[in-house]
Amino acid sequence: MTVTLDQIQAPIAAEMEEFEKKFRQSMQTRQLLLDKIMGYIVKRKGKQIRPMFVFFTAKISGGDPLPEATFRGAALIELLHTATLVHDDVVDESNYRRGFFSINALWKNKIAVLVGDYLLSKGLLLSLENDDYDLLKIVSNAVKELSEGELLQIEKARRLDITEDVYFDIIRQKTASLIASCCAVGAASAGADKETIERARLFGEKVGMAFQIKDDLFDFGTDEIGKPVGIDIKEKKMTLPLIYALQQADWLTKRRVIYNVKNNDGRKDRVQAVIEFVKKSGGLNYAIQVMERYRDEALTILRTFPESASRTSLEQLINYTIEREK
């Protein structure tokens, strides 16, 4: 039986509700246009997996009941992460985010950039006003890693010469660093020692790696995941299934596939040809194996923490993130 997100969240349901109220209040401002935009951002929140990682990790690290610092840590991550997403949509000229119009689509680029800056400063002030320097250091480092990962990916996309090692570097910085910071913030906010904070961070990093590989698999579509979409291929992104498939190919095949990626111009036949090549070359199976290895490594680290309802929920949350169908 598949466990739902609501069932996973059960041990922290009250805390999540409290967090939502506090976060909504913290987003209010007297500036009318800004208040309208903040209201829009709060309304289109996603599954809130990031605060869940913060709260669960805080609980298994000794923070039960949760201290106020944990709520501030979760808010800091949400503020800084939302700021990066708002800026990302401007950079990518994207009009949609999670099925909603993006800020830049509704209010234009200039306002979107300023809103991103505002969210960033809100997060910094939240930490500085409460002397949460340790939490601010963890999250600021994650934002730095995220930016470096994005730039590395852009640099490599121009030449399409990504090796597996470079790919792992990119996803560790782009995706895993954020989930790692959620878990490190959870442990740090609960007053855990350095060794426990590092263990929590490493746990989050492994989950983040598995999460991103799962995301990459969606691009190729399998019976479980649904129909192929090929968005990464259209955007010339080299992901693990494709990298592995190219490693197995002869020089001529490799040249043809890279040509199709570089010059697909959104053409369905070229994108489909790349998808078929990856499937036949065992790229999907290989990526699934790597994803499951990261998941198992995460579970091994998690099981070094004391048994509890929160630890069980974290196990379920890991499985949920890699078994999801969207």
Side-chain angles (χ1 to χ4, degrees):
M1 190 185 83
T2 311
V3 184
T4 67
L5 210 51
D6 283 344
Q7 288 168 323
I8 294 169
Q9 208 186 84
I12 54 163
E15 288 92 336
M16 287 295 288
E17 208 174 305
E18 190 183 339
F19 170 71
E20 215 169 300
K21 277 183 205 158
K22 286 179 174 174
F23 190 64
R24 202 178 289 126
Q25 283 167 357
S26 77
M27 296 287 262
Q28 286 173 346
T29 164
R30 289 186 195 146
Q31 213 281 337
L32 281 177
L33 174 60
L34 199 50
D35 194 54
K36 190 177 181 182
I37 298 169
M38 292 299 112
Y40 180 72
I41 288 171
V42 169
K43 206 164 60 179
R44 52 168 214 166
K45 66 180 184 346
K47 298 177 182 129
Q48 294 207 292
I49 283 173
R50 285 177 302 276
M52 286 169 72
F53 271 111
V54 176
F55 292 159
F56 282 136
T57 316
K59 287 212 171 197
I60 65 169
S61 304
D64 201 1
L66 291 178
E68 278 301 311
T70 304
F71 289 95
R72 291 196 300 270
L76 170 64
I77 286 170
E78 285 296 273
L79 286 163
L80 265 59
H81 180 57
T82 307
T84 63
L85 294 182
V86 171
H87 284 160
D88 273 356
D89 288 339
V90 174
V91 171
D92 297 338
E93 298 175 353
S94 175
N95 290 328
Y96 296 95
R97 168 75 60 181
R98 293 197 201 106
F100 289 89
F101 281 115
S102 58
I103 304 299
N104 49 299
L106 291 173
W107 287 282
K108 305 298 175 203
N109 286 349
K110 190 174 181 179
I111 287 174
V113 171
L114 292 168
V115 166
D117 292 346
Y118 176 78
L119 290 164
L120 192 63
S121 62
K122 284 279 279 188
L124 298 174
L125 284 168
L126 175 69
S127 296
L128 294 171
E129 285 165 359
N130 292 282
D131 297 336
D132 294 330
Y133 302 112
D134 51 345
L135 308 186
L136 184 56
K137 188 176 179 182
I138 291 166
V139 182
S140 297
N141 196 52
V143 174
K144 176 184 83 79
E145 292 254 357
L146 204 145
S147 307
E148 286 174 354
E150 284 281 2
L151 287 164
L152 179 59
Q153 186 170 54
I154 291 166
E155 178 198 328
K156 293 295 178 181
R158 288 178 184 152
R159 289 157 55 192
L160 296 183
D161 62 349
I162 292 184
T163 60
E164 271 191 42
D165 286 347
V166 172
Y167 165 81
F168 289 130
D169 271 348
I170 289 170
I171 67 166
R172 184 184 54 75
Q173 290 184 304
K174 261 189 72 178
T175 304
S177 64
L178 187 69
I179 298 178
S181 73
C182 290
C183 298
V185 160
S189 69
D193 58 34
K194 279 185 179 174
E195 185 275 326
T196 305
I197 295 168
E198 177 52 26
R199 209 165 11 123
R201 189 201 67 76
L202 194 56
F203 158 72
E205 188 177 279
K206 303 281 187 192
V207 176
M209 298 293 277
F211 182 92
Q212 184 57 54
I213 295 168
K214 175 68 173 187
D215 238 33
D216 293 345
L217 284 162
F218 285 137
D219 207 51
F220 298 91
T222 64
D223 294 338
E224 300 83 41
I225 294 168
K227 61 180 181 180
V229 283
I231 292 167
D232 287 337
I233 296 165
K234 286 174 193 166
E235 292 178 357
K236 303 177 181 55
K237 284 180 186 167
M238 297 285 280
T239 57
L240 188 59
L242 178 55
I243 293 165
Y244 175 82
L246 286 169
Q247 281 170 356
Q248 314 312 305
D250 59 67
W251 179 82
L252 205 61
T253 306
K254 194 182 284 190
R255 193 175 162 186
R256 191 186 71 244
V257 173
I258 287 175
Y259 177 85
N260 278 340
V261 175
K262 264 187 179 171
N263 304 288
N264 71 73
D265 300 320
R267 276 176 53 175
K268 282 185 183 172
D269 58 334
R270 288 186 180 174
V271 171
Q272 195 56 41
V274 176
I275 290 170
E276 290 308 317
F277 160 74
V278 170
K279 285 182 175 178
K280 282 178 189 162
S281 306
L284 297 187
N285 289 338
Y286 176 73
I288 289 166
Q289 282 171 11
V290 176
M291 175 184 76
E292 288 173 347
R293 190 184 76 221
Y294 276 115
R295 177 203 57 196
D296 294 345
E297 286 172 3
L299 289 170
T300 301
I301 297 169
L302 181 60
R303 284 164 191 160
T304 64
F305 287 86
E307 223 175 302
S308 66
S310 288
R311 195 186 86 171
T312 302
S313 279
L314 266 177
E315 285 191 24
Q316 292 169 338
L317 189 54
I318 295 169
N319 289 321
Y320 175 87
T321 58
I322 70 159
E323 285 165 13
R324 67 204 157 97
E325 290 180 13
K326 59 181 177 177

